[in-house]
Amino acid sequence: MTPGPIILENITKIYRTRVGPHRVLDNVSLTIQPGDKIGVLGPNGAGKSTLVRIVSGAEEPTRGKITRGMSISWPMGFVGGFQSSLTGYDNFKFICRVYGENAKELYPFVQDFSELGHFLREPVRSYSSGMRARLAFAISMAIDFDCLIIDEVIAVGDKHFQEKSRTELLERRKHKTMVIITHEMHFIRENCNLVYVVRGGELHRFEDIEEGICFHESAFG
């Protein structure tokens, strides 16, 4: 089936805190077309990760409507979905069942790409945060998602693993739709065709990448 757009309409996200409701996103809308490479920028705490979790379905909005016309990965920097008492391998098999994938066929790729060795057969609770991120990234690459959600995961691991991850994403997966959170402005310049800036609960769209970066950086001026 040909992928269709992802459409967020009038999305509001409110968290309950001890001092009262905190509105992170306030009636924001965006459309992600197949093949788009979207950079999401904003000050720390502005709601960038909240936005991409809502796009992926990892988190629900307080209000608003979402239409997803393509399959979407979980945020690659998000490892909260693993069952810590299970091994990495068992978590992988469970995810394959959820997405209707053949674990036996995909396992060699996950084993090779994650570079976890015998730790794949150990409980995830024994993993470092970097090891969890490697596992999440490898599984995301193994499953053929239409849209990849990237939350700074390419900074995981040593230089070798970072370069391998960049190659897998930017060369072998360059035809995929991507929604990217990163503080690397050169990465945005080189790989994105749209920029969204989250600021003050609002979402600002820029087709001119430099204009979007300047708007983002003005928050620190």
Side-chain angles (χ1 to χ4, degrees):
M1 186 173 70
T2 303
I6 302 166
I7 303 172
L8 275 64
E9 300 176 76
N10 306 316
I11 297 297
T12 293
K13 182 63 180 182
I14 300 172
Y15 291 105
R16 304 296 174 184
T17 72
R18 292 182 179 180
V19 296
H22 174 55
R23 189 182 298 263
V24 178
L25 299 173
D26 188 10
N27 200 40
V28 304
S29 299
L30 80 156
T31 298
I32 304 169
Q33 297 290 350
D36 274 348
K37 306 291 188 295
I38 293 175
V40 181
L41 303 176
N44 289 335
K48 303 183 298 295
S49 293
T50 297
L51 177 66
V52 297
R53 286 197 299 269
I54 289 172
V55 168
S56 71
E59 189 165 339
E60 291 295 319
T62 305
R63 291 192 297 272
K65 178 183 177 183
I66 306 172
T67 303
R68 298 181 180 92
M70 61 182 98
S71 62
I72 311 170
S73 75
W74 53 86
M76 293 186 188
F78 178 69
V79 296
F82 291 132
Q83 171 52 253
S84 62
S85 63
L86 297 178
T87 67
Y89 176 66
D90 287 334
N91 272 280
F92 159 68
K93 287 197 300 181
F94 175 77
I95 291 169
C96 284
R97 286 198 298 271
V98 169
Y99 286 95
E101 299 288 343
N102 187 314
K104 188 174 182 179
E105 291 180 0
L106 299 184
Y107 181 64
F109 175 89
V110 171
Q111 184 180 41
D112 177 69
F113 197 92
S114 68
E115 300 180 355
L116 291 174
H118 71 275
F119 282 102
L120 270 172
R121 303 285 181 162
E122 297 294 329
V124 168
R125 64 170 173 262
S126 67
Y127 288 15
S128 67
S129 59
M131 291 167 69
R132 291 184 183 221
R134 283 180 179 229
L135 179 62
F137 188 93
I139 298 173
S140 296
M141 293 294 93
I143 297 174
D144 191 27
F145 293 109
D146 299 316
C147 177
L148 301 174
I149 305 293
I150 303 163
D151 192 349
E152 295 287 6
V153 74
I154 50 177
V156 169
D158 57 22
K159 186 175 180 180
H160 161 72
F161 189 81
Q162 291 176 28
E163 288 302 317
K164 182 170 72 167
S165 300
R166 286 175 183 264
T167 298
E168 188 69 30
L169 276 173
L170 304 179
E171 295 181 17
R172 298 176 185 171
R173 313 277 170 157
K174 63 183 179 182
H175 60 291
K176 298 291 185 181
T177 306
M178 297 184 189
V179 180
I180 304 162
I181 295 177
T182 181
H183 292 97
E184 299 180 31
M185 294 303 110
H186 68 89
F187 188 89
I188 297 289
R189 289 184 174 100
E190 292 171 4
N191 298 288
C192 295
N193 66 299
L194 284 171
V195 165
Y196 281 90
V197 180
V198 186
R199 185 191 292 186
E202 297 180 345
L203 194 59
H204 304 268
R205 181 181 188 273
F206 297 90
E207 294 184 13
D208 185 310
I209 303 302
E210 287 302 323
E211 184 180 352
I213 290 173
C214 287
F215 182 82
H216 161 64
E217 293 178 341
S218 70
F220 308 99

